[in-house]
Amino acid sequence: MLLGMMTLPLPPFLLDMFFSFNIALSIVVLLVGVYSLRPLDFAAFPTILLVATLLRLALNVASTRVVLLEGHEGGDAAGKVIQAFGEVVIGGNYAVGIIIFIILMIINFVVVTKGAGRISEVSARFTLDAMPGKQMAIDADLNAGLIDQDEARQRREDVASEADFYGAMDGASKFVRGDAMAGILILVLNIFGGLIVGMVQHQLEFQDALEKYILLTIGDGLVAQVPSLLLSTAAAIMVTRVNSSEDMRNQVMRQMFDSPKALGVASIVLFIMGAIPGMPHVSFLGLAFLAAGLALYLYYRQHQAEIAAGSQSGLPAVKSNVANGQVPAQVSQQGGPVTLDNDGGQKESADIGWDDVQPVDIVGLEVGYRLIPMVDKNQGGELLGRIKGVRKKLSQDLGFLVPSVHIRDNLDLMPNGYRISLMGVTLGEAEVYPEKELAINPGQVFGQIDGINTTDPAFGLEAVWIDPDKKDKAQTLGYTVVDASTVVATQINHILHKHSYELLGHEEVQKLLDKLEESSPKLVEQLVPGAVNLNVLLKVLQGLLHERVSIRDMRTIAEALASAGGASQDPDALISVVRVALSRQIVQSIVGQDPEVPVVTLEAGLEQLLLQSIQQSQKSGGGGAFIEPQLAEKLQRSLIDAAQKQEMKGKPVVLLVAAPIRNVMAKFVRFSLPDMSVLAYTEIPDNKQVTIEASVGVDQ
């Protein structure tokens, strides 16, 4: 259609229809821009702006052809719309008409279009600069569990669409500026071309040609520039909008005309100006009284709203009690509404709700501002991917879904510092250098390397922060070299694995039961609440995790507990039952496929002493064996010596004891020898052979 309008002659009737449609389209676009709540609600605006501009230029070409071909006849030769617009603006004076038209062009070109283009350019630049921060905030909310994957995807699409919109607006505004310049050139060409055609081809007098062609030229230019001015205004409105739940009209009315103080001061200024001799008193004084009346009305409306709000919160009861002398009259209302208790005393009616009480993060990671690029994928940050990999691997190893890590920045930390917390309690913190690599000394290296000396935050090994170009040299010397993201992710993995039993809660246990019910519904029905209740099951699973036993084989665990038949609700006793059922898995996690299990045992006399202590404790209703402090110290020293010998041989550290004392010895060595595995004789599977490496006694 646009090509046809540019190349084929159009009759005046069609020109009238197209010009009317162009004006109507511009009005609709302007109003849609006014009533949009945010720019993205009218994301098609740049395209519509481009098409409307091309339509207007095509109409200019078509109307110019008609004006030059039929303009010598005057009147409505180019259509009724062009004639009407020309006669209204000219008003019988052609010089004034040309000047008014040029002023309209200047307003459109210099003021509206140039300003809208500049705002579009700046908005596009700032929107693009803000994209990484917005996307990082979305990722942080997703990691914290505040939003789900679908909402996060929608937010990312909105951020990308917003950047595309302002970029498109920046380009579309250039078309509008070019259209305004084209309008000025078309005006000049139509006037001079009309004079030449009228006087040379149609032998018109200069005055006659001037009257006819100026009338049609100005009408043609004005009928094109009015829609252009409307679209330029719509573009300016769109790029100056702020995302809100209100349209522009409500925003302006609420923010500009809802302040009685501003209107009151304005009325005073207008009254003073109107009182000056020689000033137009009627207009200034009339506006002053109008502004004062509007200010009084707004003040009265706000006062009534405050009274209504106070009555809903119990404020009148306070006033009546103050009048009766029950409450001191100097009670302040600044802290919000005040209500009374039954004793006539006062208490604050809280302005806060449960939404203001934020729960602690199960797993939290706080980073200094220099580490923010590490968690921003747009800046090449790899930490989010590493943490996701850690959670996935841990979830597979432990047997339940590890909670997400909530990442946030903390200006109170050192710029390169980070802090890992569990249930709001800090369990690890250190400093890393994103631009460097960490060379860790595994125990034997063949030289020193220059850098920032430190220790590996996860395992406490000696380490050095080095420049990336020294990585090959460090590896040649025997160092293990990792980047900063790996350092943080490794410490998170170490802490989560060590405290995995604290990550398991009632919700996770219920999820495990739900998944087990899909394949073994009868087993779950017999287990809970038949054999054990949910709380006891939680303690059993936490106890297994505390002893570094995976709960992946939930079916075997459930069958063992169901077989116990609810004979005992003691978690320690049930853990012993489950460990026997999981013996093959437990031993394989220690020695792998090796058929032999190298163990350390207790001397017969010491083991008998501990068994007697447990039996006496059970008879007296106690909860475990009592070990005399001096004996405990000697036993601990002997176990440490035996463990060191096993480690020097490159063998796993396993303590094999009688079943009744296994739980006591596991708790005894938990802190002094965290890598020692304590097994009972009943936990050795039939396909494994026990080899006794040492026998520990207190005399040693």
Side-chain angles (χ1 to χ4, degrees), residues 601-612 656-658 661 681 692 694-698 700:
T601 61
L602 299 179
E603 285 187 348
L606 176 59
E607 193 168 50
Q608 190 64 30
L609 179 63
L610 293 175
L611 285 171
Q612 292 175 358
L656 186 63
V657 297
I661 64 173
Y681 294 114
I692 300 177
S695 183
V696 174
V698 293
Q700 298 159 335

PDB file of all heavy atoms in Angstrom, residues 601-612 656-658 661 681 692 694-698 700:
ATOM      1  N   THR A 601      41.253 -53.047  66.667  1.00  0.00           N
ATOM      2  CA  THR A 601      40.326 -53.541  67.681  1.00  0.00           C
ATOM      3  C   THR A 601      40.755 -53.081  69.063  1.00  0.00           C
ATOM      4  O   THR A 601      41.855 -52.532  69.245  1.00  0.00           O
ATOM      5  CB  THR A 601      40.262 -55.076  67.648  1.00  0.00           C
ATOM      6  OG1 THR A 601      41.571 -55.606  67.942  1.00  0.00           O
ATOM      7  CG2 THR A 601      39.790 -55.573  66.288  1.00  0.00           C
ATOM      8  N   LEU A 602      39.894 -53.293  70.010  1.00  0.00           N
ATOM      9  CA  LEU A 602      40.209 -53.018  71.411  1.00  0.00           C
ATOM     10  C   LEU A 602      40.672 -54.311  72.075  1.00  0.00           C
ATOM     11  O   LEU A 602      40.206 -55.409  71.738  1.00  0.00           O
ATOM     12  CB  LEU A 602      38.973 -52.475  72.137  1.00  0.00           C
ATOM     13  CG  LEU A 602      38.376 -51.157  71.620  1.00  0.00           C
ATOM     14  CD1 LEU A 602      37.148 -50.793  72.448  1.00  0.00           C
ATOM     15  CD2 LEU A 602      39.380 -50.030  71.665  1.00  0.00           C
ATOM     16  N   GLU A 603      41.577 -54.173  73.041  1.00  0.00           N
ATOM     17  CA  GLU A 603      41.991 -55.346  73.806  1.00  0.00           C
ATOM     18  C   GLU A 603      40.791 -55.931  74.546  1.00  0.00           C
ATOM     19  O   GLU A 603      39.856 -55.207  74.923  1.00  0.00           O
ATOM     20  CB  GLU A 603      43.089 -54.972  74.798  1.00  0.00           C
ATOM     21  CG  GLU A 603      44.435 -54.754  74.130  1.00  0.00           C
ATOM     22  CD  GLU A 603      45.551 -54.560  75.152  1.00  0.00           C
ATOM     23  OE1 GLU A 603      45.221 -54.370  76.347  1.00  0.00           O
ATOM     24  OE2 GLU A 603      46.720 -54.609  74.761  1.00  0.00           O
ATOM     25  N   ALA A 604      40.839 -57.223  74.751  1.00  0.00           N
ATOM     26  CA  ALA A 604      39.696 -57.922  75.335  1.00  0.00           C
ATOM     27  C   ALA A 604      39.317 -57.363  76.701  1.00  0.00           C
ATOM     28  O   ALA A 604      38.130 -57.172  77.005  1.00  0.00           O
ATOM     29  CB  ALA A 604      40.016 -59.417  75.447  1.00  0.00           C
ATOM     30  N   GLY A 605      40.300 -57.031  77.521  1.00  0.00           N
ATOM     31  CA  GLY A 605      39.996 -56.517  78.854  1.00  0.00           C
ATOM     32  C   GLY A 605      39.314 -55.161  78.800  1.00  0.00           C
ATOM     33  O   GLY A 605      38.349 -54.901  79.548  1.00  0.00           O
ATOM     34  N   LEU A 606      39.809 -54.296  77.924  1.00  0.00           N
ATOM     35  CA  LEU A 606      39.213 -52.964  77.791  1.00  0.00           C
ATOM     36  C   LEU A 606      37.793 -53.069  77.242  1.00  0.00           C
ATOM     37  O   LEU A 606      36.874 -52.384  77.719  1.00  0.00           O
ATOM     38  CB  LEU A 606      40.089 -52.101  76.874  1.00  0.00           C
ATOM     39  CG  LEU A 606      39.560 -50.707  76.550  1.00  0.00           C
ATOM     40  CD1 LEU A 606      39.360 -49.886  77.826  1.00  0.00           C
ATOM     41  CD2 LEU A 606      40.505 -49.985  75.595  1.00  0.00           C
ATOM     42  N   GLU A 607      37.603 -53.903  76.233  1.00  0.00           N
ATOM     43  CA  GLU A 607      36.273 -54.052  75.649  1.00  0.00           C
ATOM     44  C   GLU A 607      35.287 -54.618  76.675  1.00  0.00           C
ATOM     45  O   GLU A 607      34.134 -54.177  76.755  1.00  0.00           O
ATOM     46  CB  GLU A 607      36.354 -54.968  74.425  1.00  0.00           C
ATOM     47  CG  GLU A 607      35.106 -54.934  73.563  1.00  0.00           C
ATOM     48  CD  GLU A 607      35.332 -55.614  72.222  1.00  0.00           C
ATOM     49  OE1 GLU A 607      35.845 -56.760  72.211  1.00  0.00           O
ATOM     50  OE2 GLU A 607      35.009 -54.993  71.187  1.00  0.00           O
ATOM     51  N   GLN A 608      35.766 -55.591  77.496  1.00  0.00           N
ATOM     52  CA  GLN A 608      34.905 -56.153  78.529  1.00  0.00           C
ATOM     53  C   GLN A 608      34.540 -55.112  79.567  1.00  0.00           C
ATOM     54  O   GLN A 608      33.401 -55.056  80.056  1.00  0.00           O
ATOM     55  CB  GLN A 608      35.616 -57.348  79.190  1.00  0.00           C
ATOM     56  CG  GLN A 608      34.740 -58.159  80.117  1.00  0.00           C
ATOM     57  CD  GLN A 608      33.596 -58.839  79.385  1.00  0.00           C
ATOM     58  OE1 GLN A 608      33.731 -59.189  78.207  1.00  0.00           O
ATOM     59  NE2 GLN A 608      32.482 -59.027  80.063  1.00  0.00           N
ATOM     60  N   LEU A 609      35.479 -54.221  79.883  1.00  0.00           N
ATOM     61  CA  LEU A 609      35.227 -53.157  80.849  1.00  0.00           C
ATOM     62  C   LEU A 609      34.145 -52.200  80.338  1.00  0.00           C
ATOM     63  O   LEU A 609      33.247 -51.798  81.093  1.00  0.00           O
ATOM     64  CB  LEU A 609      36.527 -52.386  81.122  1.00  0.00           C
ATOM     65  CG  LEU A 609      36.444 -51.206  82.091  1.00  0.00           C
ATOM     66  CD1 LEU A 609      36.036 -51.679  83.494  1.00  0.00           C
ATOM     67  CD2 LEU A 609      37.777 -50.474  82.144  1.00  0.00           C
ATOM     68  N   LEU A 610      34.222 -51.863  79.056  1.00  0.00           N
ATOM     69  CA  LEU A 610      33.219 -50.962  78.476  1.00  0.00           C
ATOM     70  C   LEU A 610      31.849 -51.638  78.414  1.00  0.00           C
ATOM     71  O   LEU A 610      30.818 -50.990  78.647  1.00  0.00           O
ATOM     72  CB  LEU A 610      33.662 -50.530  77.068  1.00  0.00           C
ATOM     73  CG  LEU A 610      34.905 -49.643  77.007  1.00  0.00           C
ATOM     74  CD1 LEU A 610      35.298 -49.390  75.560  1.00  0.00           C
ATOM     75  CD2 LEU A 610      34.663 -48.319  77.709  1.00  0.00           C
ATOM     76  N   LEU A 611      31.814 -52.946  78.117  1.00  0.00           N
ATOM     77  CA  LEU A 611      30.544 -53.660  78.094  1.00  0.00           C
ATOM     78  C   LEU A 611      29.890 -53.681  79.473  1.00  0.00           C
ATOM     79  O   LEU A 611      28.675 -53.471  79.606  1.00  0.00           O
ATOM     80  CB  LEU A 611      30.766 -55.094  77.605  1.00  0.00           C
ATOM     81  CG  LEU A 611      31.007 -55.265  76.087  1.00  0.00           C
ATOM     82  CD1 LEU A 611      31.441 -56.692  75.777  1.00  0.00           C
ATOM     83  CD2 LEU A 611      29.750 -54.924  75.311  1.00  0.00           C
ATOM     84  N   GLN A 612      30.702 -53.906  80.499  1.00  0.00           N
ATOM     85  CA  GLN A 612      30.162 -53.907  81.863  1.00  0.00           C
ATOM     86  C   GLN A 612      29.633 -52.525  82.240  1.00  0.00           C
ATOM     87  O   GLN A 612      28.595 -52.395  82.901  1.00  0.00           O
ATOM     88  CB  GLN A 612      31.238 -54.352  82.851  1.00  0.00           C
ATOM     89  CG  GLN A 612      31.646 -55.806  82.711  1.00  0.00           C
ATOM     90  CD  GLN A 612      32.791 -56.173  83.637  1.00  0.00           C
ATOM     91  OE1 GLN A 612      33.318 -55.326  84.366  1.00  0.00           O
ATOM     92  NE2 GLN A 612      33.193 -57.440  83.606  1.00  0.00           N
ATOM     93  N   LEU A 656      36.917 -51.692  64.988  1.00  0.00           N
ATOM     94  CA  LEU A 656      35.931 -52.765  65.057  1.00  0.00           C
ATOM     95  C   LEU A 656      35.694 -53.131  66.522  1.00  0.00           C
ATOM     96  O   LEU A 656      36.642 -53.498  67.243  1.00  0.00           O
ATOM     97  CB  LEU A 656      36.430 -53.985  64.275  1.00  0.00           C
ATOM     98  CG  LEU A 656      35.453 -55.146  64.125  1.00  0.00           C
ATOM     99  CD1 LEU A 656      34.231 -54.725  63.326  1.00  0.00           C
ATOM    100  CD2 LEU A 656      36.148 -56.340  63.442  1.00  0.00           C
ATOM    101  N   VAL A 657      34.459 -53.048  66.970  1.00  0.00           N
ATOM    102  CA  VAL A 657      34.126 -53.281  68.376  1.00  0.00           C
ATOM    103  C   VAL A 657      32.864 -54.135  68.453  1.00  0.00           C
ATOM    104  O   VAL A 657      32.193 -54.403  67.443  1.00  0.00           O
ATOM    105  CB  VAL A 657      33.902 -51.946  69.122  1.00  0.00           C
ATOM    106  CG1 VAL A 657      35.159 -51.110  69.145  1.00  0.00           C
ATOM    107  CG2 VAL A 657      32.755 -51.173  68.484  1.00  0.00           C
ATOM    108  N   ALA A 658      32.535 -54.544  69.669  1.00  0.00           N
ATOM    109  CA  ALA A 658      31.305 -55.283  69.906  1.00  0.00           C
ATOM    110  C   ALA A 658      30.100 -54.378  69.663  1.00  0.00           C
ATOM    111  O   ALA A 658      30.161 -53.157  69.879  1.00  0.00           O
ATOM    112  CB  ALA A 658      31.285 -55.842  71.325  1.00  0.00           C
ATOM    113  N   ILE A 661      28.741 -51.619  72.235  1.00  0.00           N
ATOM    114  CA  ILE A 661      29.535 -50.413  72.535  1.00  0.00           C
ATOM    115  C   ILE A 661      29.861 -49.613  71.274  1.00  0.00           C
ATOM    116  O   ILE A 661      30.579 -48.626  71.341  1.00  0.00           O
ATOM    117  CB  ILE A 661      30.844 -50.780  73.276  1.00  0.00           C
ATOM    118  CG1 ILE A 661      31.751 -51.636  72.377  1.00  0.00           C
ATOM    119  CG2 ILE A 661      30.547 -51.469  74.590  1.00  0.00           C
ATOM    120  CD1 ILE A 661      33.115 -51.879  72.982  1.00  0.00           C
ATOM    121  N   TYR A 681      30.863 -55.861  64.991  1.00  0.00           N
ATOM    122  CA  TYR A 681      31.130 -57.157  64.378  1.00  0.00           C
ATOM    123  C   TYR A 681      29.968 -57.593  63.486  1.00  0.00           C
ATOM    124  O   TYR A 681      30.170 -58.239  62.448  1.00  0.00           O
ATOM    125  CB  TYR A 681      31.371 -58.212  65.473  1.00  0.00           C
ATOM    126  CG  TYR A 681      32.628 -57.964  66.275  1.00  0.00           C
ATOM    127  CD1 TYR A 681      32.565 -57.648  67.628  1.00  0.00           C
ATOM    128  CD2 TYR A 681      33.883 -58.062  65.681  1.00  0.00           C
ATOM    129  CE1 TYR A 681      33.720 -57.419  68.373  1.00  0.00           C
ATOM    130  CE2 TYR A 681      35.055 -57.839  66.405  1.00  0.00           C
ATOM    131  CZ  TYR A 681      34.967 -57.510  67.752  1.00  0.00           C
ATOM    132  OH  TYR A 681      36.113 -57.279  68.468  1.00  0.00           O
ATOM    133  N   ILE A 692      43.140 -57.869  61.239  1.00  0.00           N
ATOM    134  CA  ILE A 692      43.400 -57.015  62.406  1.00  0.00           C
ATOM    135  C   ILE A 692      44.797 -56.419  62.275  1.00  0.00           C
ATOM    136  O   ILE A 692      45.802 -57.136  62.294  1.00  0.00           O
ATOM    137  CB  ILE A 692      43.261 -57.826  63.706  1.00  0.00           C
ATOM    138  CG1 ILE A 692      41.846 -58.391  63.823  1.00  0.00           C
ATOM    139  CG2 ILE A 692      43.592 -56.960  64.917  1.00  0.00           C
ATOM    140  CD1 ILE A 692      41.635 -59.272  65.039  1.00  0.00           C
ATOM    141  N   ALA A 694      45.919 -53.780  64.344  1.00  0.00           N
ATOM    142  CA  ALA A 694      46.430 -53.402  65.664  1.00  0.00           C
ATOM    143  C   ALA A 694      45.337 -53.642  66.693  1.00  0.00           C
ATOM    144  O   ALA A 694      44.143 -53.666  66.367  1.00  0.00           O
ATOM    145  CB  ALA A 694      46.869 -51.942  65.681  1.00  0.00           C
ATOM    146  N   SER A 695      45.766 -53.808  67.938  1.00  0.00           N
ATOM    147  CA  SER A 695      44.839 -53.965  69.051  1.00  0.00           C
ATOM    148  C   SER A 695      45.186 -52.907  70.086  1.00  0.00           C
ATOM    149  O   SER A 695      46.338 -52.829  70.546  1.00  0.00           O
ATOM    150  CB  SER A 695      44.939 -55.376  69.645  1.00  0.00           C
ATOM    151  OG  SER A 695      43.997 -55.551  70.678  1.00  0.00           O
ATOM    152  N   VAL A 696      44.218 -52.082  70.430  1.00  0.00           N
ATOM    153  CA  VAL A 696      44.462 -50.914  71.253  1.00  0.00           C
ATOM    154  C   VAL A 696      44.077 -51.215  72.698  1.00  0.00           C
ATOM    155  O   VAL A 696      42.985 -51.730  72.973  1.00  0.00           O
ATOM    156  CB  VAL A 696      43.666 -49.703  70.746  1.00  0.00           C
ATOM    157  CG1 VAL A 696      43.811 -48.524  71.691  1.00  0.00           C
ATOM    158  CG2 VAL A 696      44.133 -49.325  69.356  1.00  0.00           C
ATOM    159  N   GLY A 697      44.982 -50.848  73.612  1.00  0.00           N
ATOM    160  CA  GLY A 697      44.698 -50.934  75.040  1.00  0.00           C
ATOM    161  C   GLY A 697      45.183 -49.678  75.725  1.00  0.00           C
ATOM    162  O   GLY A 697      45.979 -48.903  75.177  1.00  0.00           O
ATOM    163  N   VAL A 698      44.761 -49.469  76.933  1.00  0.00           N
ATOM    164  CA  VAL A 698      45.131 -48.223  77.619  1.00  0.00           C
ATOM    165  C   VAL A 698      46.591 -48.211  78.020  1.00  0.00           C
ATOM    166  O   VAL A 698      47.192 -47.154  78.210  1.00  0.00           O
ATOM    167  CB  VAL A 698      44.248 -48.025  78.863  1.00  0.00           C
ATOM    168  CG1 VAL A 698      42.817 -47.767  78.452  1.00  0.00           C
ATOM    169  CG2 VAL A 698      44.326 -49.221  79.792  1.00  0.00           C
ATOM    170  N   GLN A 700      49.065 -48.976  76.175  1.00  0.00           N
ATOM    171  CA  GLN A 700      49.863 -48.467  75.062  1.00  0.00           C
ATOM    172  C   GLN A 700      49.777 -46.954  74.981  1.00  0.00           C
ATOM    173  O   GLN A 700      50.574 -46.336  74.316  1.00  0.00           O
ATOM    174  CB  GLN A 700      49.366 -49.089  73.751  1.00  0.00           C
ATOM    175  CG  GLN A 700      49.531 -50.614  73.761  1.00  0.00           C
ATOM    176  CD  GLN A 700      48.613 -51.275  72.767  1.00  0.00           C
ATOM    177  OE1 GLN A 700      47.588 -50.727  72.429  1.00  0.00           O
ATOM    178  NE2 GLN A 700      48.976 -52.473  72.307  1.00  0.00           N
TER     179      GLN A 700
END
